[in-house]
């Protein structure tokens, strides 16, 4: 969430934002954001909360699987230590490889 705030992305025109529990404060900034509902010792999840979390995670799993495919390449699973200028090019090349595999 700290990096997201630092990036100053404007997502106000987005129709829907699906995020994981690391972005709990995102709903305060953007009302269209959806994050899982957390439970605590004194406030356990209801059946409706559990079904909401299950629905949200089933919609997000596609994105998480793509992230996992990116992390196979060591450039994304560790700290990037090369020139910033070439990061976009490398990102596009790896995205092309992943898209080619899906066909």
């Amino acid at each position: 969430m700290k990096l997201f705030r630092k990036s100053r992305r404007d997502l106000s025109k987005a129709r829907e934002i699906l995020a994981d529990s690391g972005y709990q404060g995102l709903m305060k900034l953007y009302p269209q954001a959806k994050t899982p509902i957390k439970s605590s010792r004194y406030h356990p999840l209801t059946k409706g909360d559990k079904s909401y979390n299950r629905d949200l995670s089933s919609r997000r799993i596609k994105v998480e699987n793509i992230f996992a495919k990116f992390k196979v390449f060591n450039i994304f699973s560790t700290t990037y230590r090369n020139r910033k200028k070439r990061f976009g090019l490398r990102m596009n090349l790896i995205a092309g490889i992943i898209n080619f595999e899906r066909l």
Side-chain angles (χ1 to χ4, degrees):
M1 188 65 190
K2 192 179 202 181
L3 288 173
F4 178 76
R5 284 192 183 124
K6 200 174 188 180
S7 71
R8 297 184 179 165
R9 291 267 182 189
D10 183 28
L11 300 177
S12 59
K13 295 181 182 177
R15 188 175 54 133
E16 187 176 41
I17 303 167
L18 303 176
D20 62 0
S21 57
Y23 292 93
Q24 286 294 318
L26 193 62
M27 294 176 78
K28 294 176 185 173
L29 299 172
Y30 301 105
Q32 69 269 31
K34 296 186 179 187
T35 58
I37 300 169
K38 286 185 168 183
S39 68
S40 69
R41 179 185 298 178
Y42 303 109
H43 300 286
L45 293 177
T46 63
K47 286 186 178 184
D49 294 341
K50 288 181 183 180
S51 66
Y52 170 79
N53 286 349
R54 194 174 301 113
D55 178 53
L56 184 64
S57 66
S58 66
R59 293 170 63 197
R60 287 191 67 250
I61 193 66
K62 297 169 189 166
V63 176
E64 294 296 331
N65 287 339
I66 297 296
F67 287 159
K69 288 181 182 182
F70 269 100
K71 288 184 180 181
V72 167
F73 295 88
N74 279 347
I75 191 171
F76 297 112
S77 61
T78 60
T79 305
Y80 185 72
R81 299 183 188 277
N82 294 315
R83 294 186 189 110
K84 290 180 186 178
K85 194 187 264 186
R86 304 241 177 178
F87 180 76
L89 173 68
R90 291 181 176 129
M91 178 75 170
N92 288 338
L93 288 172
I94 292 172
I97 292 169
I98 291 171
N99 286 336
F100 184 73
E101 286 179 352
R102 289 179 41 187
L103 296 177

